[in-house]
Amino acid sequence: MILGIGTDLANIDRIQRTLDRFGDRFRNRVFTDVEQAKAERRMDVAGTYAKRWAAKEACSKALGTGLRMGIAWKDMAVSNLRSGQPVMQVTGWAADRLRQMTPEGHEAIIHVTLTDDHPWAQAFVVIEARPIAIQASATLGDA
């Protein structure tokens, strides 16, 4: 079942201007160390930050809060699997909100996709609740 959907569109040039103006103060307030390391290794530094900015905005919308109610930028973090697929982790208040949203007997899965086409970066986040699978070995032992 779908618990929440969020999307956001970020202007890469605006993120570049923010990086130019505020530098580390902006990076350290919004992005985790892992996110910063990823962006700084990329050819398109501002585009990488813009996609992650959009993902955080989209995640906050999928959580049903937007960036208010105690949620912090670093409570939502984007990393990548070896395949390159982006994944979203939540901590702090965002994780608390996710637990509140998730029905008993279910686990929450956060799906995220990112794209960019200069000057735009876009993210979609879908939060899904899946029933927790009962271990087959436990049920077979009861037979």
Side-chain angles (χ1 to χ4, degrees), residues 2-140:
I2 303 298
L3 298 179
I5 300 172
T7 186
D8 194 66
L9 186 65
N11 184 288
I12 296 168
D13 294 332
R14 183 177 137 240
I15 296 297
Q16 182 63 64
R17 286 190 302 273
T18 303
L19 287 165
D20 293 343
R21 183 170 179 195
F22 298 105
D24 286 342
R25 196 168 95 196
F26 171 66
R27 279 191 274 287
N28 293 332
R29 185 176 139 248
V30 176
F31 302 100
T32 66
D33 292 342
V34 171
E35 290 172 313
Q36 290 181 49
K38 174 78 171 184
E40 298 300 325
R41 285 193 310 265
R42 303 295 292 269
M43 295 260 300
D44 184 11
V45 172
T48 302
Y49 280 124
K51 286 185 280 190
R52 277 148 179 76
W53 171 280
K56 291 168 185 270
E57 287 273 8
C59 184
S60 70
K61 293 170 185 175
L63 289 168
T65 65
L67 284 162
R68 56 185 173 87
M69 296 177 59
I71 200 166
W73 287 103
K74 288 185 176 183
D75 284 349
M76 302 164 289
V78 178
S79 61
N80 297 83
L81 300 177
R82 284 188 175 271
S83 65
Q85 176 185 346
V87 292
M88 176 73 71
Q89 298 88 26
V90 293
T91 58
W93 193 92
D96 293 342
R97 173 70 180 141
L98 185 60
R99 278 190 292 279
Q100 292 169 0
M101 294 172 61
T102 306
E104 191 172 324
H106 290 73
E107 63 179 336
I109 311 294
I110 302 174
H111 304 277
V112 60
T113 186
L114 310 172
T115 191
D116 65 293
D117 187 6
H118 197 89
W120 301 108
Q122 186 173 32
F124 287 96
V125 171
V126 175
I127 301 175
E128 173 189 12
R130 289 186 189 161
I132 296 172
I134 299 171
Q135 293 182 355
S137 61
T139 56
L140 291 175

